[in-house]
Amino acid sequence: MADGNGRRETGSRQMTGAEMVVQALIDNGVEDIFGYPGGAVLPIYDEIFQQETVRHILVRHEQGAGHMAEGYARSTGKCGVMLVTSGPGATNAVTPLQDALMDSIPLVCISGQVPTSVIGSDAFQECDTVGVTRPCTKHNWLVRNVDELSEIMHEAFRVASTGRPGPVLVDIPKDVQFATGTYVPPSSAKRRSSYQPALRSRADRVREAVELLRSAKKPVIYSGGGVINSGPEASHMLRELVELTGIPITSTLMGLGAYPASGERWLGMLGMHGTYEANMAMHDCDVMLCVGARFDDRITGRLDAFAPHSRKIHIDIDPSSINKIVPVDVPIIGDCGHVLEDMVRILRAGAQPDRQKLKPWHEQIESWKARNCLAYSPNDEIIMPQYAIQRLYELTKDRKTYITTEVGQHQMWAAQFYGFEEPNRWMTSGGLGTMGYGLPAAVGVAAAHPDALVIDIAGDASVQMTMQEISTAVQYNLPVKIFIMNNHYMGMVRQWQQLLHGNRLSHSYSEALPDFVKMAEAFGATGIHCAKPDDLDEAIQQMIDTPGPVIFDCEVANLANCFPMIPSGKAHNEMLLPDEASDEAVATAIDREGAQLV
């Protein structure tokens, strides 16, 4: 029970299961949770009502709760927590659980379940939640004994946040929530699994990696979200490694911000819509250092032509990621931060590479940069999407700004044109590509950072999938800014239909779009509309200065395509640049038999 100030006692004592859940949240440092009540979790909600330590944020759909928890986790490095009821509440959580699994986001989902006596009888709102969520969680538990509940809760936080982070689920029947048992605090809890990820790697492997980098004439560093997940020190060590060696660096979509976009050795993002210089450097390198990334298909292009002349070093805390997709020469299992620290220590001791040897490589990279692969044709009458991101960046770069996105062309343009200088400022759905992610993720970020500027760069199609969560932002006065790049299409789907399917635009035109300004007003937020380039700066500044949630409807060119682009089935050195991207050139370059629609 709580005292008058919302504090709870610590140590082992008798509690109901519902009390245990709330106490475990407090003891694991949770300050905010995102949830939606229902019959199977009412005992827990009753306990939440009687305390003041943990803030509960009421969402409008359980998918929104999961994405809010993801945004919260990604921007803070802490576990995000969501609370849902049984049956449809739990099944609505599947999308964010899978999203968190693919992007390695620490997430604890607490779900209610029907009483143990009726499990398996198709009771009202029953669902085999453990069975349904087993493929999309790092681990999950069905708690049948109240005396096991507190230890399972503590174990859930440990499993979610250690090693390669990911989502876990604790399914708690209603009778277990009512039952009384002994609460065990985290300090006294026994570990309920043998899960113990290795943080430190083998010293000989680290030395081998350093020697390989020292011998390279055309090295490149390929960093991923694992560097950010490892914590701020890992990003610091990555920057120091680049500074000590002079090795150029690129990044996956999830790794943006670990190395600053303004950095001297920055190549830009890698992969399908990455920069020309990043992709060419990856293709031509002789030594590749992969740090906290997993060689996914959006990065590698055609596997048998991926960096064909390179020796590869792979640092990853997840042993199953090593040699899973791309065979590597020096596998290093360990936490990115610890391994990078060991490498930097060796380099500081005098094993730095000969920078003069890298001069031809740097000159080659500069010639690739001179292609100006992100160039686009400006327009005085219509807002080009690239221009919209550039102006948004220029007007927000000097503030404490967090960016979330939905999924599609706008997501890629944001990655290309918004320069991230710090880790944990960029929240996007990478592996699963979840339309509807950005708005609730922005709400979660704003809950964690109420004084920051939080912007969801959205598409007119994606944003409608979870638009109801603007109501949550209004209720809790979370000042998210929803910057909709409105081109009246499902932009990326339309682009691929144009390039791969004979311009047959099957159901990709966004007909019957709402009036986003009126929609904002209906929710109690502020709506802004802009359609002319000359008005854009003033409108963006108005969005920034307006207190509370804002929906900004930015009309952009309808048929702009996102380039550069590596066509499916092609290698990095076969990417298309904007000046080569006529329909005829694209049709010639793309092998339709090997192409796969996103």
Side-chain angles (χ1 to χ4, degrees), residues 310-326:
S310 70
R311 299 188 66 188
K312 299 173 181 66
I313 306 161
H314 189 186
I315 302 170
D316 205 296
I317 199 166
D318 181 6
S320 69
S321 292
I322 304 288
N323 292 318
K324 179 179 180 180
I325 298 171
V326 172

Side-chain angles (χ1 to χ4, degrees), residues 365-377:
I365 287 170
E366 288 304 314
S367 71
W368 287 327
K369 286 183 178 180
R371 294 290 298 272
N372 194 17
C373 69
L374 297 180
Y376 62 93
S377 299

Side-chain angles (χ1 to χ4, degrees), residues 6 39 219 225 417 435 445 454 472 491 532 534 551 597:
F417 289 93
M435 294 175 70
V445 175
V454 183
T472 297
K532 296 294 183 182
D534 288 346
I551 296 177
L597 185 60

Side-chain angles (χ1 to χ4, degrees), residues 327-364:
V328 298
D329 301 277
V330 184
I332 302 177
I333 299 170
D335 176 78
C336 291
H338 290 300
V339 177
L340 289 170
E341 182 182 11
D342 291 342
M343 296 180 76
V344 166
R345 186 181 299 113
I346 294 171
L347 289 163
R348 282 177 184 159
Q352 297 181 30
D354 179 4
R355 285 174 173 264
Q356 195 63 28
K357 185 169 59 175
L358 299 182
K359 187 177 178 181
W361 182 228
H362 291 150
E363 290 173 350
Q364 174 64 71

Side-chain angles (χ1 to χ4, degrees), residues 49 224 228 296 533:
F49 183 84
I228 294 173
D296 70 285

Side-chain angles (χ1 to χ4, degrees), residues 136-156:
C136 57
T137 54
K138 193 174 173 184
H139 195 69
N140 60 16
W141 296 263
L142 171 62
V143 185
R144 292 179 175 269
N145 183 341
V146 69
D147 286 318
E148 297 178 349
L149 177 56
S150 57
E151 288 188 336
I152 288 175
M153 286 292 297
H154 304 321
E155 184 78 351

Side-chain angles (χ1 to χ4, degrees), residues 1 7-15 23 26-28 183-188:
M1 298 294 292
R7 294 188 298 266
R8 287 174 169 260
E9 299 173 12
T10 57
S12 299
R13 67 186 184 90
Q14 294 295 294
M15 295 184 188
Q23 186 63 57
I26 294 170
D27 286 349
N28 283 280
Y183 177 83
V184 180
S187 58
S188 304

Side-chain angles (χ1 to χ4, degrees), residues 110-126:
I110 302 165
S111 60
Q113 184 55 275
V114 300
T116 54
S117 61
V118 296
I119 288 178
S121 69
D122 294 330
F124 177 66
Q125 291 194 331
E126 182 186 359

